[in-house]
Amino acid sequence: MHWPHKDLLSIQQLTSQEIEHIFDLALKFAEINQRPVKKVPTLKGKSVVLFFAEPSTRTKISFDMAGKRLSADTFSLAQSGSSLQKGESLSDTALTLQAMHPDAIVLRHGASGASAYLARQLDCAVINAGDGWHAHPTQALLDGFSLFQVWESFAGKNVLLLGDIAHSRVARSDIELLTKLGAKVRVCAPRTLLPPALKSWPVEIEQDLGRACQDMDAVICLRLQLERQQAGLLPDLREYARHFGLGPAHLSHARTGARILHPGPINRGIEIAAELADAPNSLILDQVSSGVATRMALLYLYLTSTREEA
Amino acid sequence: MADCELVVHNVQHPDGTPCDLLLAGERILAVQPHEPNRSWECSVFPGNGALLWPSCLDSHVHLREPGFEHKETIATGLQAAAAGGFGQVMAMANTDPVNDTPGTTRFLLDAAQKSHPQGPALLPVGAATKGLQGQELAPLAELAEAGCVAFSNDGNPVSNTELFRRAVEYAADWRCRVIDHCEDPHLAPGAGINEGRMSSRLGLKGQPTVAESLHVARDILLASYLDLPIHLAHISCRESVELIAQAKQKGVPITAETCPQYVLWDEGLLEGFNTLAKVNPPLRTPDDVQAMRQAVRQGVIDCLVTDHAPHAGHEKDVPFMAAPNGISGLETALSLTWGLVAQNELDAADWIRLWSQAPAEVFGLPAPSALTAGAPADFLLFDPHRQWDVSPRSLASLGKNTPCLGASLTGRVSAHFLGGRCIYDGNAPLAGSH
Ligand SMILES: [Zn+2]
């Protein structure tokens, strides 16, 4: 397949066919991950810079492993204190990176739009590994891939996104991906954690968690930043857990075999009851494996596309 | 009778007739019906049929000097004003040092006089509070004596209503109006994006319209209670103009301004994290734009201003939240709003009134030239058909930060005269060292 994109900035850029193509590739790469020797020479000689201006061990390791299994050289850009956090230095960092001629940069940054900004400055592929509250396309793709492995088709499926929707790049990207693939999406959160103009989004809104779980085929719990309480968005974490923490009683309203997802790391007992996180219908660990396979597929596409070879 | 020194040949008078304008010294000697074949003894400036209007007054600009000369200097800012058709600009106090002492006011006036002895004129707006800190009143009387024509904390609105009240009262004793940037600081993170569809999609913290309209309501109640005028800066949303319309019906002494951006553009311009469209208050929704246009047509909004806010290129070329707010507006303002006249959304006479007579009335400044015999020769020529490309090269301001960059506009100031002298000739090559 000809891959027309230079960068992966958000799910908005991708067609449903392109997303399915990523899933098909990820299935093949998932097979490599089952082999005793988990390494192929596909991306030998390519270099990938992992630039994480905001800490995220999971995503970074996932990309690192994805790159190494395809024999790409991966380099981590150390985040030296606060200077890289500032928007002002991103332009200088971009120029420095450009001069090193990497084939791709994987960027995690606290500012919404940072990856789009970097992509404009650089000739190499830029893969958004999360920017501010804006987008986290690779997380959405791995969430989608986890469900794709179980369902094969998203038509007629209902998915609930539970928790801090307003400040969640995962929620934004998940909603774009799931609706693009034909699933129906519902959201549940206290009003203070819902974004403005939510009515313009293709989602249903339900404040009561029991009712929100009704007829769901999957529940994606979002991570709650504990600082939201200090920001005046929540009175109390215990109260949040009582009303918006997913428990077995809520889930009993869902369709049989409903899957549970969480991007991690989990605040056990706040976003989700501990027994549910470890239950057989939980896909939380599959998400981690899916993450490596999906990112292998993405690095493959963005580093070997016809655009690059031309 | 004085001798004619210069003829501005073939222009269209506001009354609709083609005329020749005879100038002597600083004044208009005569306005005569246009005679295409007449030969003149004195020098002739070809008007080429352009529209003749009085020179304009922009009552809200940021000239950045002292302190931020890399963004704009008084010299380049006034050059931009000349090119934009503004013979007078009211400069906000948020420089470094802040314009909160008579010394700074005098520095501004001196610098303007040195760089542009023929004008445009700089009319300083003094800080309402010391250092714009919102803690203590600035020496308003001394500032007025030094030449300040109004007071404002512009970007740092005074949230302490008691202190704000005192500023309004004290300034009134010096026949100066306080200009308030309406924004509840607790509801508004200075976001540069409206809270709504676009902020939600881009994952940016937005500023809700209620942050503005809440302070509009406060100022209306205060102006009504004190029976003293307050001027509301760069109004941007429907709720605000609805409140202002009601207040005016009741006779509350409130006046208001808006900028080209709020009657022309909506938040859709921020697509792709476009920092050039990042302003405070932010661009709102298409519905707000409609409400603003209506308010301008109906006189609910008293005058138009640019809120000219130049920034250096590298300052805007950063991720969205790190970029400063503001659009460089002096040179595109008349062209952009002429679009409303071209689309029959605004009368030409109202358009020029909003940019000249109306702000002069609000701030108690001398009325613009009547463009009749004996009146000051302060006027501009506007070519409604002239096409021009907005590019870094075509702007005299150091601030090239406008969302029109790369756009082609129709209608432009072709010449600008103050005191009988041409301060801008659109057919001459751009002066300046940039
Ligand atoms: Zn302001």
Side-chain angles (χ1 to χ4, degrees):
Chain A
M1 187 184 195
H2 166 72
W3 196 251
H5 308 287
K6 171 182 164 284
D7 312 293
L8 176 62
L9 305 178
S10 79
I11 295 296
Q12 214 188 348
Q13 298 174 307
L14 303 177
T15 65
S16 56
Q17 287 82 7
E18 285 169 342
I19 294 170
E20 279 154 21
H21 182 62
I22 294 170
F23 290 169
D24 288 339
L25 273 177
L27 269 180
K28 295 196 184 108
F29 286 119
E31 185 268 319
I32 295 174
N33 291 335
Q34 306 294 327
R35 294 182 195 170
V37 177
K38 302 173 180 59
K39 191 158 179 148
V40 290
T42 319
L43 296 182
K44 202 166 166 53
K46 300 276 187 183
S47 42
V48 177
V49 171
L50 306 175
F51 176 16
F52 279 61
E54 194 188 72
S56 167
T57 319
R58 290 173 170 249
T59 307
K60 192 171 170 184
I61 288 179
S62 180
F63 267 109
D64 199 9
M65 197 168 271
K68 290 201 161 95
R69 287 196 176 159
L70 295 174
S71 301
D73 298 313
T74 61
F75 303 88
S76 286
L77 201 68
Q79 180 206 351
S80 59
S82 61
S83 70
L84 278 180
Q85 303 264 32
K86 284 194 189 148
E88 287 90 333
S89 63
L90 192 58
S91 168
D92 286 338
T93 312
L95 292 173
T96 309
L97 288 171
Q98 178 82 299
M100 297 176 187
H101 303 292
D103 297 291
I105 288 172
V106 176
L107 175 72
R108 159 68 60 95
H109 200 281
S112 295
S115 55
Y117 173 79
L118 205 65
R120 278 198 298 275
Q121 318 271 320
L122 301 180
D123 299 331
C124 72
V126 172
I127 294 175
N128 183 2
D131 62 330
W133 304 342
H134 171 237
H136 197 347
T138 67
Q139 176 73 41
L141 286 163
L142 77 87
D143 289 348
F145 181 62
S146 305
L147 291 168
F148 172 77
Q149 285 177 295
V150 182
W151 293 342
E152 289 184 0
S153 163
F154 289 77
K157 299 294 184 192
N158 296 325
V159 181
L160 175 68
L161 278 162
L162 170 62
D164 186 354
I165 313 287
H167 310 96
S168 173
R169 53 191 168 218
V170 177
R172 278 176 179 76
S173 293
D174 275 352
I175 291 169
E176 274 181 12
L177 180 128
L178 292 165
T179 52
K180 216 165 231 184
L181 296 178
K184 281 212 177 70
V185 179
R186 191 179 281 172
V187 300
C188 179
R191 201 175 289 268
T192 49
L193 298 183
L194 289 176
L198 187 60
K199 287 197 183 81
S200 65
W201 290 22
V203 297
E204 273 178 41
I205 307 159
E206 174 56 64
Q207 236 81 35
D208 178 86
L209 184 49
R211 277 202 297 277
C213 287
Q214 204 103 50
D215 296 327
M216 288 297 118
D217 296 289
V219 180
I220 302 178
C221 302
L222 299 168
R223 180 173 164 79
L224 182 76
Q225 301 292 325
L226 302 178
E227 314 86 81
R228 298 293 172 229
Q229 190 188 355
Q230 275 100 58
L233 296 166
L234 296 171
D236 182 68
L237 291 179
R238 193 182 49 82
E239 186 174 284
Y240 176 86
R242 262 189 62 202
H243 291 274
F244 296 96
L246 187 69
H250 305 121
L251 210 60
S252 67
H253 297 277
R255 289 185 178 161
T256 22
R259 305 295 170 152
I260 299 164
L261 295 88
H262 191 298
I266 301 173
N267 297 307
R268 275 169 204 263
I270 295 182
E271 297 126 8
I272 183 165
E275 68 256 48
L276 288 185
D278 310 323
N281 57 336
S282 161
L283 290 181
I284 294 171
L285 290 176
D286 302 65
Q287 283 174 281
V288 180
S289 340
S290 297
V292 178
T294 312
R295 285 164 180 140
M296 286 167 81
L298 291 169
L299 289 177
Y300 172 78
L301 280 171
Y302 282 86
L303 290 172
T304 65
S305 70
T306 40
R307 194 194 59 82
E308 284 289 313
E309 285 158 7
Chain B
M1 191 168 150
D3 285 338
C4 172
E5 289 162 17
L6 177 72
V7 175
V8 180
H9 188 247
N10 184 21
V11 293
Q12 189 183 322
H13 196 268
D15 68 15
T17 58
C19 65
D20 298 327
L21 210 60
L22 281 59
L23 310 184
E26 298 186 352
R27 299 200 166 254
I28 297 172
L29 186 65
V31 184
Q32 299 184 347
H34 173 52
E35 293 175 70
N37 301 318
R38 177 168 170 186
S39 61
W40 300 88
E41 307 269 296
C42 54
S43 8
V44 174
F45 189 96
N48 301 321
L51 308 177
L52 170 71
W53 301 114
S55 174
C56 294
L57 161 59
D58 186 350
S59 61
H60 193 143
V61 304
H62 298 267
L63 293 188
R64 307 303 189 199
E65 186 180 352
F68 308 100
E69 289 81 355
H70 66 288
K71 295 175 193 272
E72 188 87 290
T73 63
I74 286 171
T76 58
L78 292 180
Q79 197 58 46
F86 297 98
Q88 301 181 84
V89 293
M90 287 168 57
M92 289 293 153
N94 63 340
T95 46
D96 184 15
V98 165
N99 181 18
D100 62 357
T101 61
T104 306
T105 305
R106 280 192 290 268
F107 165 83
L108 296 173
L109 292 168
D110 285 352
Q113 180 62 32
K114 274 191 193 114
S115 72
H116 288 74
Q118 323 297 343
L122 186 159
L123 308 177
V125 175
T129 66
K130 281 182 193 152
L132 301 171
Q133 295 297 306
Q135 304 292 326
E136 288 172 88
L137 289 183
L140 305 187
E142 285 180 20
L143 288 167
E145 281 164 353
C148 288
V149 298
F151 298 104
S152 182
N153 251 40
D154 189 30
N156 305 40
V158 184
S159 59
N160 177 339
T161 305
E162 160 73 4
L163 187 67
F164 184 70
R165 167 202 173 149
R166 299 308 175 195
V168 170
E169 288 178 323
Y170 197 87
D173 283 345
W174 301 91
R175 286 174 301 283
C176 284
R177 194 167 290 216
V178 169
I179 304 170
D180 193 21
H181 166 129
C182 295
E183 178 182 326
D184 181 317
H186 300 289
L187 274 172
I193 186 166
N194 182 47
E195 179 174 294
R197 280 175 98 106
M198 191 55 83
S199 70
S200 189
R201 202 153 67 63
L202 296 180
L204 294 167
K205 186 159 170 141
Q207 186 201 97
T209 50
V210 70
E212 175 179 300
S213 52
L214 208 60
H215 262 221
V216 167
R218 174 192 81 162
D219 290 359
I220 288 170
L221 292 170
L222 205 55
S224 169
Y225 178 76
L226 301 172
D227 196 25
L228 288 175
I230 299 176
H231 181 72
L232 308 177
H234 44 53
I235 292 301
S236 71
C237 65
R238 180 179 284 280
E239 293 86 343
S240 296
V241 289
E242 284 174 357
L243 289 165
I244 296 164
Q246 282 169 22
K248 286 191 163 181
Q249 252 164 24
K250 286 193 211 155
V252 178
I254 205 102
T255 52
E257 66 187 37
T258 193
C259 315
Q261 53 263 33
Y262 306 115
V263 293
L264 292 168
W265 302 324
D266 62 59
E267 61 180 9
L269 229 57
L270 293 148
E271 188 67 69
F273 300 95
N274 181 7
T275 58
L276 291 178
K278 187 181 179 194
V279 271
N280 190 26
L283 299 181
R284 306 288 190 183
T285 67
D287 175 66
D288 290 302
V289 173
Q290 286 311 317
M292 293 310 305
R293 281 189 193 189
Q294 196 185 8
V296 167
R297 266 198 306 273
Q298 297 179 342
V300 172
I301 293 289
D302 298 86
C303 58
L304 289 168
V305 302
T306 63
D307 192 9
H308 177 69
H311 293 291
H314 69 270
E315 295 171 315
K316 280 282 194 180
D317 188 15
V318 291
F320 190 83
M321 286 311 278
N325 293 308
I327 290 174
S328 177
L330 276 170
E331 288 162 274
T332 53
L334 293 191
S335 302
L336 285 170
T337 49
W338 180 258
L340 296 175
V341 179
Q343 294 161 28
N344 291 318
E345 290 221 36
L346 199 62
D347 280 352
D350 283 334
W351 168 76
I352 200 68
R353 184 183 50 76
L354 287 158
W355 283 117
S356 58
Q357 194 181 339
E361 269 170 23
V362 167
F363 294 102
L365 298 165
S369 171
L371 304 175
T372 50
D378 300 340
F379 58 87
L380 60 93
L381 304 184
F382 189 82
D383 179 351
H385 306 297
R386 184 179 291 205
Q387 294 256 342
W388 65 292
D389 296 326
V390 184
S391 72
R393 296 176 63 102
S394 66
L395 298 175
S397 168
L398 292 185
K400 315 298 182 186
N401 50 305
T402 160
C404 327
L405 218 57
S408 176
L409 303 181
T410 305
R412 193 179 192 186
V413 174
S414 55
H416 190 179
F417 284 74
L418 285 181
R421 293 172 198 254
C422 181
I423 59 160
Y424 170 75
D425 178 356
N427 295 315
L430 193 66
S433 55
H434 43 272

